[in-house]
Amino acid sequence: MTLNSTRYILRETIHSMKRNPWLSIASVLTVMVSLVILGFSVFFLVNASNMAKSFEDQLEIAAFVEESTTKSELQALQTHIKGMPGVASVTIVTKEQVLTDFGKTMGGTENNILADLGGKNPFSDELTIKATDAQNVIALADAVDALPEVYKVRYGQGFVDKLLVFTQWLRWIGLGVVAAFAIAAVVLISINVKMNVFSRRREIQIMKLVGASNSFVRWPFLIEGLALGFVGGALAAVIVGMGYNWIAMNVQSTLTFLPIVQNVTLFQQVLVGLLLTGMGMGALGSGISLQKFLKT
Amino acid sequence: MIQLKNVSKIYPNGAKALIDVNLTIGKGDFVFLVGPSGAGKSTLIKLFYRDEIPTRGQVHINSKNLIRMKEREVPYLRRTIGVIFQDFKLLPNKTVLENVAFALEVIGVSRKEIQLRTRATLELVGLANKEKSYPHELSGGEQQRVCVARAIINNPALLVADEPTGNLDPETAWGIMDLLYNINKRGTTVVMATHARAIVNKMQKRVIAIENGRVARDEIKGGYGYDA
Ligand SMILES: Nc1ncnc2c1ncn2[C@@H]1O[C@H](COP(=O)(O)OP(=O)(O)OP(=O)(O)O)[C@@H](O)[C@H]1O
Ligand SMILES: [Mg+2]
């Protein structure tokens, strides 16, 4: 492929795209829509699994200790639990601390809260236990619950499981929708290229009689498919890129507790991936049409 | 250069265009193909550049077997053969210049060289002033000369011409014959199908007459042979 041929091919490509402008636009738009959905799905899934992960990390067991337990017994209990398998850390939260924290959330001071509660601290001492692995949480919680000094345990199991199941479902649905649109896009591009080949079959015949090889005749059509896919992919990358930034900005200013993934490398990879996928769809579409054509 | 052995061509619709044709044309020969309309001249010519494949028999061009030739070798065969088509076969969306240049573009000649050689060749066929025109803006004779230019620009080893003077006034026709004569002098084999009695009689070249798909006559220095 020489420079001269390249120039010829580019000229031909532009020519043929002008021939069927509506079909070209439809092809570009289907590529775009499928890739926009793909792009947002990828970002959504990345965030969902990130969220699941961060909740897992935060997953801790709160063990409420019997009222009769003394401070030294509490410390002994802490050491004992620390020695149990699968425990990452154990911290003591005294009932005074709990009361203070509670008071802060209510917007008062410790003393007047205590007064409001009738002079008696209703809370009990707590131990906050982190497991080394989220999988161990249930077993660990049961083990801690079995200790005589502990009268109740609480942990956030259940929520994480539901989140994981939800993302799994989402992954399948997203995949299905993306696949449907991707197939539609490939089919449209292939129709586009096929129509161009058909409307130019006489020209192609002449070219081949004058000694043009199959690949020489094929290139402009292949490039055309690639270009359609490229434009669709580029549009999708822009939409997904700007859309994600916009959503991330708004989520972060309103729902501050949600951890939004802001990974620049990942971001660029996804956008470049969309572009390449678009071109791949274009190449596939034109490849399908050209395979059957252009036999002498 | 060209060798046909027991060649028959029956079109899918049953038309028997060629029947058991045996023919040898040497390198550097100049050959007229004559015969009534529908005799099989164009069919014969199409076998040379593998536009048609015979139903039976063997075709060799430059000792290459066209029957056994692989599909991807066909373009290379065609690049060594210049064809002046009976119906011109110009690319409608390309200018005269681009049409002639196309024969060079397919083999990847540099832009500069294409420009130079295309201009020179258009000069040769007397169309230098029409290079920017499109085929539909030209007269039949002008289109024919574009086709001639495209056929000869590659200095082909074999030039096949299917009625290259069919649409030309006698003077322009003789201009084209001059061109073919000179190309033949430089070593190119020329095969020309024609109904132009005066030209055949004057040139005194080998004449092969085809009638009803068979070789009816083959003379070294022949005349047109059909009475008016
Ligand atoms: N593509 C085709 N399909 C079917 N029959 C064909 C085809 N091309 C030619 N024929 C038939 O084959 C026979 C020979 O045709 P051909 O074109 O070779 O004649 P010709 O000698 O070139 O005539 P002319 O002097 O009018 O150009 C004719 O009977 C014609 O009808
Ligand atoms: Mg003919």
Side-chain angles (χ1 to χ4, degrees):
Chain A
M1 194 74 1
T2 64
L3 180 68
N4 303 299
S5 313
T6 312
R7 206 182 319 234
Y8 161 82
I9 286 164
L10 287 181
R11 220 183 323 120
E12 286 305 304
T13 305
I14 292 166
H15 260 304
S16 71
M17 280 174 81
K18 282 196 208 148
R19 233 176 298 253
N20 286 315
W22 289 111
L23 199 53
S24 297
I25 290 169
S27 309
V28 166
L29 289 183
T30 22
V31 172
M32 188 191 85
V33 169
S34 68
L35 292 181
V36 164
I37 296 172
L38 177 65
F40 278 123
S41 307
V42 167
F43 278 125
F44 192 90
L45 290 173
V46 166
N47 273 296
S49 61
N50 177 60
M51 225 177 276
K53 180 110 183 52
S54 85
F55 280 124
E56 266 176 16
D57 288 346
Q58 287 167 18
L59 202 63
E60 34 185 49
I61 302 163
F64 301 95
V65 178
E66 298 283 0
E67 240 179 294
S68 57
T69 315
T70 64
K71 294 292 171 208
S72 61
E73 279 171 337
L74 190 62
Q75 268 168 12
L77 185 64
Q78 179 190 26
T79 324
H80 174 73
I81 294 176
K82 239 180 206 160
M84 290 168 68
V87 174
S89 68
V90 184
T91 35
I92 294 175
V93 187
T94 60
K95 52 187 165 194
E96 291 75 24
Q97 267 170 302
V98 178
L99 183 68
T100 313
D101 289 347
F102 180 69
K104 269 187 199 139
T105 58
M106 302 303 286
T109 67
E110 194 177 330
N111 285 328
N112 55 31
I113 286 285
L114 202 56
D116 284 348
L117 294 167
K120 187 177 176 300
N121 185 343
F123 299 106
S124 50
D125 292 323
E126 288 175 39
L127 289 172
T128 304
I129 304 158
K130 279 194 175 156
T132 48
D133 189 346
Q135 311 274 297
N136 295 341
V137 167
I138 302 175
L140 191 58
D142 287 347
V144 172
D145 201 12
L147 295 171
E149 297 92 336
V150 176
Y151 80 87
K152 198 173 100 186
V153 295
R154 201 169 63 205
Y155 58 94
Q157 194 70 15
F159 173 70
V160 169
D161 277 352
K162 281 187 192 122
L163 190 67
L164 287 177
V165 170
F166 179 62
T167 55
Q168 197 61 38
W169 268 104
L170 212 74
R171 209 167 295 192
W172 287 116
I173 294 169
L175 205 68
V177 172
V178 168
F181 270 95
I183 290 169
V186 169
V187 167
L188 269 183
I189 288 178
S190 120
I191 291 174
N192 195 333
V193 169
K194 203 176 284 188
M195 274 181 62
N196 276 333
V197 171
F198 187 77
S199 70
R200 300 182 62 196
R201 62 198 184 286
R202 214 184 109 75
E203 243 177 297
I204 290 170
Q205 185 216 351
I206 295 172
M207 290 177 181
K208 295 185 72 176
L209 284 178
V210 183
S213 61
N214 265 343
S215 67
F216 187 87
V217 175
R218 212 173 262 163
W219 267 108
F221 297 107
L222 200 63
I223 300 282
E224 185 192 347
L226 274 179
L228 292 172
F230 177 84
V231 174
L235 287 176
V238 169
I239 291 173
V240 170
M242 288 178 27
Y244 185 69
N245 272 333
W246 185 82
I247 292 170
M249 235 168 58
N250 279 289
V251 166
Q252 247 159 11
S253 60
T254 52
L255 305 169
T256 39
F257 60 90
L258 275 186
I260 295 288
V261 177
Q262 297 270 47
N263 181 337
V264 178
T265 324
L266 174 82
F267 194 65
Q268 287 168 346
Q269 277 170 352
V270 170
L271 296 194
V272 170
L274 290 182
L275 204 61
L276 292 179
T277 312
M279 289 172 74
M281 286 157 77
L284 189 66
S286 44
I288 289 170
S289 319
L290 292 175
Q291 208 180 20
K292 281 176 257 163
F293 278 93
L294 305 180
K295 298 260 143 72
T296 311
Chain B
M1 183 87 215
I2 302 173
Q3 206 169 35
L4 274 68
K5 262 195 219 151
N6 308 320
V7 168
S8 296
K9 174 71 189 179
I10 301 163
Y11 282 108
N13 65 357
K16 290 181 181 164
L18 294 172
I19 300 156
D20 205 23
V21 172
N22 287 284
L23 205 61
T24 304
I25 296 174
K27 191 169 162 43
D29 283 3
F30 195 118
V31 178
F32 285 116
L33 284 181
V34 300
S37 185
K41 303 183 294 297
S42 294
T43 304
L44 183 64
I45 278 178
K46 284 175 185 167
L47 298 177
F48 300 166
Y49 52 94
R50 208 173 181 274
D51 195 10
E52 296 290 353
I53 300 167
T55 317
R56 270 190 298 279
Q58 293 295 322
V59 180
H60 284 85
I61 303 287
N62 249 340
S63 47
K64 283 205 189 72
N65 185 335
L66 298 208
I67 315 300
R68 275 206 241 130
M69 180 171 272
K70 292 197 182 72
E71 216 53 69
R72 60 183 159 78
E73 296 175 287
V74 172
Y76 299 97
L77 168 78
R78 289 177 180 165
R79 288 173 199 180
T80 65
I81 304 175
V83 184
I84 303 170
F85 300 96
Q86 190 164 14
D87 54 354
F88 318 145
K89 294 202 190 298
L90 300 178
L91 295 164
N93 300 324
K94 290 186 187 296
T95 63
V96 166
L97 191 81
E98 289 166 345
N99 260 285
V100 177
F102 189 79
L104 298 178
E105 258 169 4
V106 296
I107 51 178
V109 176
S110 81
R111 203 172 171 74
K112 219 174 185 174
E113 199 186 333
I114 289 180
Q115 289 264 332
L116 264 147
R117 279 167 68 178
T118 308
R119 293 246 154 73
T121 312
L122 283 175
E123 196 84 48
L124 217 54
V125 297
L127 282 178
N129 57 335
K130 296 280 187 187
E131 62 170 51
K132 290 203 172 60
S133 305
Y134 285 88
H136 69 267
E137 299 168 336
L138 301 178
S139 74
E142 286 166 339
Q143 290 181 36
Q144 190 151 36
R145 280 182 284 159
V146 177
C147 187
V148 171
R150 185 180 60 189
I152 64 176
I153 196 166
N154 257 342
N155 293 320
L158 170 63
L159 183 68
V160 291
D162 204 345
E163 298 192 36
T165 61
N167 293 276
L168 304 179
D169 62 87
E171 200 179 330
T172 319
W174 276 111
I176 294 295
M177 287 318 295
D178 239 20
L179 218 62
L180 298 190
Y181 181 81
N182 285 321
I183 288 165
N184 176 243
K185 269 270 139 58
R186 291 203 311 244
T188 296
T189 311
V190 177
V191 179
M192 169 172 160
T194 186
H195 294 291
R197 165 193 317 280
I199 288 174
V200 177
N201 286 337
K202 176 97 181 285
M203 298 271 290
Q204 289 293 300
K205 298 288 189 187
R206 179 176 170 191
V207 174
I208 299 172
I210 312 282
E211 285 170 32
N212 293 321
R214 295 177 195 272
V215 177
R217 174 163 58 100
D218 190 346
E219 295 172 336
I220 298 299
K221 282 192 177 174
Y224 187 71
Y226 297 96
D227 292 326

